[in-house]
Amino acid sequence: MTKLLVIGLDCATPQLVFDSWLDELPNLKSLVESGIHGKLRSTVPPITVPAWTAMMTSQDPGMLGFYGFRNRKSYGYDDLYFANANYVKAKTVWNHLSRNRMSSLVFGVPQTYPPKPLNGVLVACFLTPNKDVQYTYPDEIKAELDKAADGDYIIDVDDFRTDDKQKLLESIYVMSRRRFKAFRHFLTKGNYDFAMMVEMGIDRIHHGFWRYFDEAHRLYEPGNPFENSIKDYYKDIDREIGETLKVISPDTSVMVVSDHGAKTMMGAICINEWFQQEGYLTLKEKPSKVMSLKMNMIDWSKTKVWGEGGYYSRIFFNVKGREPEGVIPQEQYEDFRNEIIRKLEAMKDENGKLINNKVFKPEDVYKECNNVPPDLILYPGNLDWRSAGSVGTGTIHIYENDTGPDDANHAEDGIFIWKIPGKKWDNKGNNYSIYDIAPSILKYFGLDIPQEMVGKPII
């Protein structure tokens, strides 16, 4: 079997790539026209962690045992952890390839920090805290990585939630160009069966600049200086993809994927303000200003529910015998959960219109629920809104993100393109699952597909 190159574009969005700008993205268009393409349905929730790991293991977040970036380690109130690679127990695609003596180049794939050994080379992801730690495998390639990236490989832009848009824009370009350049250096130097890189720049530019191009965004202003920023950046990424395609052999298969898409963010639902208003959450003292909800601010004897902020919300219950100061009797848990779902689904905007919240019970969307799942998962306004975890806002609805400027929310569908030279595709649908990627890659290489993988091979 010939080699496979996977280019991951975090947050690349089907309505932009396929519907709006494809004619101006010649390299992606060439791949689309010579292979198959379509939307790639993400995980619940559609967020970088756990989506990329779900893609590379074909296991859902419940099976993986982490449900977002931050997770509860226990039912204690403050026992949260960031789900880095230390918590990934499932076998990734490159683990399977290594066991079959195939080599891999893995570059910037989320949730690969800290790096683990493989048959090949790995450069860890944006979860790397700084470049003083070991973030490559083998460790010795760090100097070569910097040299290949014009002297300074950039793991991620410093702060994509900033008002300094010009600086952010320049930083995203520098990061992306250096990453692609360094990736091509290692790709041409080695002889890898499987090579994969993930570029984070599209995610960062969506969150930083969506208001400037989307006429549906409430803050859009025609003729603003950043109106073409996202489109121009997509064109630059397409050019980088073209340069990368030039250095691979003609018979190399090429796949382009994203972990989720993006959409306009209408505003944020202050979920903990709402729980207070509904009588489910009580604070010891009324906040004097807007602040993050800290667990020591909560009067647990009078609190049944609290929620986390983010592009979605994880909602947790204070259950007697489960949480340290739980109040919800366990025999009433399910009835109470259904009560909260009904009320969340009835939530309205400031004009009295239903905002179309979607609420999930983890056991309904995952094959199994390992570690500590949230009691409920909320998509505010079906992801038209995000969740703000702060308290002291004095309102349920806000129109600026509580953790810094942010214009876009995540959407459930990413992109999928696959070209296999010489292959003629049968009639294929144009909607695929993120869980189908790992079994498709294993089948491409002629390897058995483990039973624990929940997806199906596309080929």
Side-chain angles (χ1 to χ4, degrees):
M1 184 56 68
T2 57
K3 299 174 182 178
L4 173 62
L5 167 66
V6 178
I7 298 175
L9 305 174
D10 195 285
C11 201
T13 301
Q15 71 266 30
L16 301 182
V17 173
F18 299 140
D19 301 338
S20 298
W21 300 336
L22 189 61
D23 286 342
E24 298 176 75
L25 307 172
N27 296 294
L28 286 171
K29 184 176 182 179
S30 175
L31 293 171
V32 164
E33 292 179 341
S34 54
I36 57 172
H37 74 283
K39 296 177 181 176
L40 191 68
R41 178 53 60 100
S42 187
T43 48
V44 176
I47 192 165
T48 301
V49 173
W52 283 106
T53 299
M55 186 191 298
M56 289 294 107
T57 63
S58 192
Q59 295 196 23
D60 67 39
M63 299 166 71
L64 294 168
F66 36 81
Y67 304 86
F69 283 85
R70 292 189 302 165
N71 297 267
R72 296 178 80 182
K73 187 175 286 186
S74 73
Y75 284 103
Y77 298 122
D78 277 321
D79 204 7
L80 293 175
Y81 69 94
F82 278 94
N84 63 22
N86 285 331
Y87 298 92
V88 178
K89 306 305 179 188
K91 291 184 176 63
T92 59
V93 163
W94 49 88
N95 292 149
H96 291 287
L97 296 178
S98 293
R99 284 174 174 265
N100 286 273
R101 299 182 180 182
M102 295 183 186
S103 59
S104 299
L105 173 63
V106 180
F107 224 85
V109 180
Q111 236 179 337
T112 54
Y113 174 80
K116 298 178 181 178
L118 76 166
N119 181 20
V121 166
L122 186 147
V123 176
C125 65
F126 72 102
L127 294 175
T128 303
N130 57 66
K131 291 171 67 174
D132 294 330
V133 302
Q134 181 183 349
Y135 69 100
T136 64
Y137 179 86
D139 192 33
E140 302 82 67
I141 67 164
K142 286 169 68 174
E144 183 180 354
L145 176 66
D146 273 339
K147 185 177 180 181
D150 295 336
D152 184 13
Y153 179 81
I154 298 173
I155 295 169
D156 196 2
V157 292
D158 287 337
D159 179 15
F160 64 91
R161 294 195 179 100
T162 174
D163 288 318
D164 191 344
K165 298 300 181 182
Q166 188 59 43
K167 181 180 179 182
L168 173 61
L169 188 61
E170 293 169 1
S171 298
I172 292 172
Y173 270 93
V174 171
M175 173 186 70
S176 301
R177 287 174 175 173
R178 290 182 182 178
R179 190 175 349 265
F180 270 98
K181 186 176 181 182
F183 178 71
R184 287 194 292 269
H185 166 81
F186 285 96
L187 182 62
T188 53
K189 179 185 176 185
N191 185 30
Y192 302 102
D193 298 289
F194 172 79
M196 177 176 182
M197 68 164 289
V198 172
E199 174 52 56
M200 294 299 298
I202 288 181
D203 181 87
R204 298 335 187 196
I205 204 167
H206 281 170
H207 290 300
F209 293 87
W210 195 274
R211 72 175 63 180
Y212 299 106
F213 94 100
D214 185 354
E215 297 179 12
H217 197 285
R218 68 182 186 87
L219 296 175
Y220 170 76
E221 294 182 4
N224 72 77
F226 296 112
E227 187 146 14
N228 292 315
S229 295
I230 293 181
K231 183 178 179 181
D232 289 343
Y233 177 74
Y234 267 82
K235 291 163 69 173
D236 202 67
I237 289 295
D238 183 79
R239 184 189 60 77
E240 292 287 356
I241 291 173
E243 293 300 308
T244 306
L245 298 181
K246 289 178 182 176
V247 305
I248 61 175
S249 61
D251 60 348
T252 298
S253 177
V254 180
M255 183 185 293
V256 182
V257 288
S258 65
D259 57 330
H260 55 76
K263 61 184 348 185
T264 284
M265 185 191 299
M266 294 183 63
I269 300 299
C270 301
I271 190 67
N272 289 314
E273 290 290 319
W274 185 81
F275 282 135
Q276 289 181 82
Q277 179 179 291
E278 296 293 322
Y280 295 117
L281 169 63
T282 301
L283 302 184
K284 295 173 183 173
E285 297 180 5
K286 185 178 180 180
S288 58
K289 60 181 181 180
V290 177
M291 61 180 67
S292 298
L293 176 66
K294 305 296 184 186
M295 295 297 99
N296 61 8
M297 297 165 58
I298 297 175
D299 181 346
W300 292 109
S301 68
K302 300 176 182 176
T303 292
K304 294 181 177 179
V305 188
W306 76 102
E308 290 282 339
Y311 298 120
Y312 67 108
S313 183
R314 287 164 296 131
I315 293 172
F316 301 106
F317 292 177
N318 192 29
V319 180
K320 187 178 292 185
R322 193 184 77 174
E323 271 72 16
E325 300 178 57
V327 296
I328 303 170
Q330 295 202 8
E331 62 272 19
Q332 296 177 16
Y333 175 84
E334 200 56 39
D335 287 343
F336 181 74
R337 191 158 64 153
N338 290 331
E339 173 186 321
I340 294 297
I341 291 173
R342 285 195 299 274
K343 289 198 172 184
L344 285 170
E345 290 176 340
M347 185 184 289
K348 297 178 181 177
D349 66 14
E350 291 167 306
N351 299 315
K353 181 181 177 182
L354 281 176
I355 67 170
N356 192 27
N357 281 342
K358 291 181 70 174
V359 191
F360 304 95
K361 296 178 179 178
E363 70 271 22
D364 290 344
V365 291
Y366 303 135
K367 188 176 180 180
E368 55 190 77
C369 295
N370 293 318
N371 298 331
V372 184
D375 294 287
L376 292 171
I377 299 167
L378 168 66
Y379 288 1
N382 195 21
L383 299 175
D384 288 338
W385 299 68
R386 64 170 286 149
S387 168
S390 298
V391 291
T393 62
T395 180
I396 306 301
H397 312 90
I398 59 174
Y399 293 93
E400 291 292 345
N401 180 33
D402 62 338
T403 56
D406 199 332
D407 300 343
N409 207 359
H410 290 185
E412 293 177 283
D413 289 326
I415 67 168
F416 170 73
I417 305 168
W418 197 3
K419 173 187 176 182
I420 300 178
K423 178 174 177 56
K424 293 184 179 180
W425 298 92
D426 297 329
N427 292 327
K428 286 283 184 180
N430 57 7
N431 291 294
Y432 303 91
S433 165
I434 199 167
Y435 301 114
D436 294 341
I437 302 303
S440 296
I441 292 172
L442 295 189
K443 186 173 181 181
Y444 175 81
F445 284 111
L447 302 181
D448 293 335
I449 299 169
Q451 288 186 345
E452 62 268 24
M453 288 189 169
V454 297
K456 303 295 181 186
I458 294 167
I459 52 176

